Each structure stands twice: as C-alpha cells, then as structure tokens.
Amino acid sequence: MDFKLSEEQLLIKEAARDFAKNELLPGVIERDEKQEFPKEQVKKMAELGFLGMMTSPEYGGSGMDTISYVMVMEEISKIDASCSVIVSVNNSLVCWGLENYGTEEQKKKYLTRLASGEIIGAFCLSEPEAGSDATSQKTTAIEKDGHYIINGTKNWITNGGTADVYLVIAQTHPEKKHKGINAFILEKGMPGFEIGPKEQKLGIRGSDTHSLIFNDVKVPKENRIGEDGFGFKFAMKTLAGGRIGIAAQALGIASGAYELAKEYSKVRKSFGTEICNHQAIAFKLADMHTQIEAARHLVIKAAWDKDNGHDYDLSGAMAKLYASQVAMDTAIEAVQIHGGNGYVKEYHVERLMRDAKITQIYEGTSEIQKIVISRGLLAE
Ligand SMILES: Cc1cc2nc3c(=O)[nH]c(=O)nc-3n(C[C@H](O)[C@H](O)[C@H](O)COP(=O)(O)OP(=O)(O)OC[C@H]3O[C@@H](n4cnc5c(N)ncnc54)[C@H](O)[C@@H]3O)c2cc1C
C-alpha cells in the first residue's frame, strides 16, 4: 500500500494552493458579503484547467484522475467554498455526466465548451417537492413531434443564473415512476425558460443559486441523455461521483479552519502564555487534526475507488457523511479558539463555519447518506 501522492498530483495540489492564496483570498470576504459571483476567478480557474479536470483532452478537459480533482477541491475550499462548488458542479455533475452518458454530438456541441470552462453548467434535479425524495419529479417532459415539451420548476440550482447549459431531470412517463424519468440538455435563452431570483444564503454566498421555471420549453429529441427512461439512473450515477467532490469540499473547509486556528493559537496570549499552551486548546487541535486525517483517508479512498474502476457508491457516501461532520465540528471549534475574533469577518473562520453547513445538505443530506450506506451494507 502506498499513501504517497504522485509527482503530478503533488504539482497540481501546489498549483491549486498558490492559486487559492493569490487569487481567491483577496476579496473573498467582500464577495461573501455582497453575494457576488466570482466571475474573474472562474475565468482563471478555467485557464488552469480546473473546470474540466477529469474530462478527456479530446473534449477540452485536463484528463486528470479523481485524486488530483479532490486535491484541487480541498485547496480551493480551504479559502473559498463558493468557488469550489462551481468547480464541483461543473466537473462531477455536468462534464462527467455528459462524457459518460452523452452522445458524440452532445459531447462535441456542449462538453468541449464546458470542460474548457468557456461556459459553465448546472445540474437540475431538486424541486419544491422533490429534494431527498428525487423520485417525486413533478417537472414533465412530454414527447411531441420530435421534441420534448418541458414544464415545471427546479429549486436551489447552483450556477442557476450564470450557467449556459443545464442538465434537467424530468418525468416523461409518470406511470413508470422513476423508470419514466429522463435527463435533458437545455440552453439558457430557450423560449419559456425563466430564471428565478437569486437565493439569499447562509453560506457559499458567492455561488449563484436560483430556482428555474420551465413553461412549454421545446427541447429537441437529440438533447435527451441516454435511452428513454434513463434519467433517474443518470442522476444517481452522477451524484455518486459528485459526493466525492463535496466530501473534498468539506475536507478543505475543515483543513482551512484548522490551519487558521492553529496559527492563531500560537500568537494569541492569555494568562501570560500563548493559548496553544493551554491543554484545552492543544487537545482541540489534536482532535481536529485527527478527524481531518481520517476524513482525508475516506475522501482519497473514494477517489481511488473511482479511478480504479471499483464501486464507489458506498465509499463516496461515507466520505461525504464523515467529512461534512468534520467540517462542521472543526469550523465551530476554530471559531471557539479565536474567541471574539472568531465571530468577526476578518478572521475568516466565521465564514468557513457558515460554509461548512451546506456540505451536510446538498447532493444528499447526511440522513440520505446513511440510507445509501446502510442499504449498501445490508445488500452485501
Ligand atoms: C445552496 C444549495 C445549492 C444546491 N444546489 C443544487 C443543485 O445544483 N442542483 C440540485 O438539483 N439541487 C441542489 N440543491 C438542493 C439540495 O440537493 C437539496 O436541498 C437536498 O437534497 C435536500 O432536499 P430538501 O431541501 O428538499 O430537503 P428535504 O428532502 O425536505 O429534507 C428535509 C429533512 O428531512 C430529512 N429527510 C428527508 N427524507 C428522509 C428520510 N427518508 N429519512 C430520514 N431523513 C429524511 C432530510 O435529511 C432533511 O434533514 C442545493 C441546495 C442548496 C441549499
């Protein structure tokens, strides 16, 4: 067993760390405050090849492995989780889904531009009445004269206002329940496609979250992904990989908070000594570091499973469940170690604490991860 990263993986991790420090850190507090989408930063991430990391170079991607991807996700999330969710959705949900299940024409038309970061994509599954229970899709896609007519509403869509391409899940044959669901490629500007107002959020405030409304949107039949009825499987397969990205995001938030807390504890003094010399603080750091290392091993194992053709439904769900809890716990303790300074924006840990929460909610809540894990175990 070899726990060492390859030279290439180390180089990409270093590049992501430098990028996050030099390009994301300046302005991160202001973007969070104003809920400002990181437009310039996304452009730079595209130049670095971070938006299509695992996509083959044939389709405009960087052709890297999942381990490199989680390294980049961790480094970006240490500083700006709003940027890393953009990377995660574009890579894991949109590009991966299209590369693995799209037709050659769909890949040429859409994937090449998405993977190079020329445009970004969105993944649209959740609805007002279909979140954890994704089978309850109310959005309909009815076939008519070589097209599908889409009607309905999607909720909470990341990149909702800024994307150009949207992968939309909709019900075509309600009598077949989840086996009647399809996935479609929609483009911004299609007649009847409306973007709702931007959500005002607790965390990842730089990311752009909207509801989407479809009123008789006419989508060509060739924009359906896979066979008729493949949509639910498409969504589940795609989200299984997406969870590895979100687990890496959680890991990054945790390690970012830990690093800030450790440094602060070495300079802040109380009772005549640096606070890290109080055992209560030193033990917090010991717990944080141990839990982060455990989370890192779960994340890398899930990525390794994916890269080596093993099943990763269970390892990805375990990585997300555990890493998101570690992110939440670590960020709360990082605020505590900072005392009053932890409660103000300029020390960054309050933002990381707010950002951590979403990792327990999206791409399957922690409760849903436990369902995935327990079902997997009991089926063995
Ligand atoms: C900022 C943000 C960005 C998002 N981005 C996207 C996106 O890009 N695309 C997209 O499609 N969706 C996106 N989502 C939606 C997200 O995936 C859902 O919010 C999430 O899956 C939970 O669904 P829900 O909000 O409907 O909660 P509900 O399903 O209503 O769940 C409410 C609570 O009940 C629990 N619960 C539900 N069912 C069970 C059960 N069977 N057993 C035990 N507990 C249960 C849940 O765990 C949760 O605690 C985003 C959400 C947010 C907040």
Side-chain angles (χ1 to χ4, degrees), residues 165-192:
V165 169
Y166 298 76
L167 306 188
V168 176
I169 312 298
Q171 180 58 269
T172 302
H173 313 285
E175 71 288 357
K176 293 189 187 166
K177 301 194 169 138
H178 71 278
K179 290 188 176 154
I181 291 172
N182 276 308
F184 300 92
I185 307 169
L186 268 66
E187 294 176 31
K188 182 183 260 159
M190 280 178 160

Side-chain angles (χ1 to χ4, degrees), residues 5 20 101 114 131 176 188 196 208 221 224 236 239 253 262 343 347 349 365 367:
L5 294 174
Y101 301 111
L114 287 159
K176 293 189 187 166
K188 182 183 260 159
D208 178 37
K221 202 172 168 184
R224 190 185 73 207
M236 293 303 110
L239 282 171
I253 293 171
K262 188 173 86 174
Y343 211 66
Y347 285 84
V349 284
T365 63
E367 289 78 11

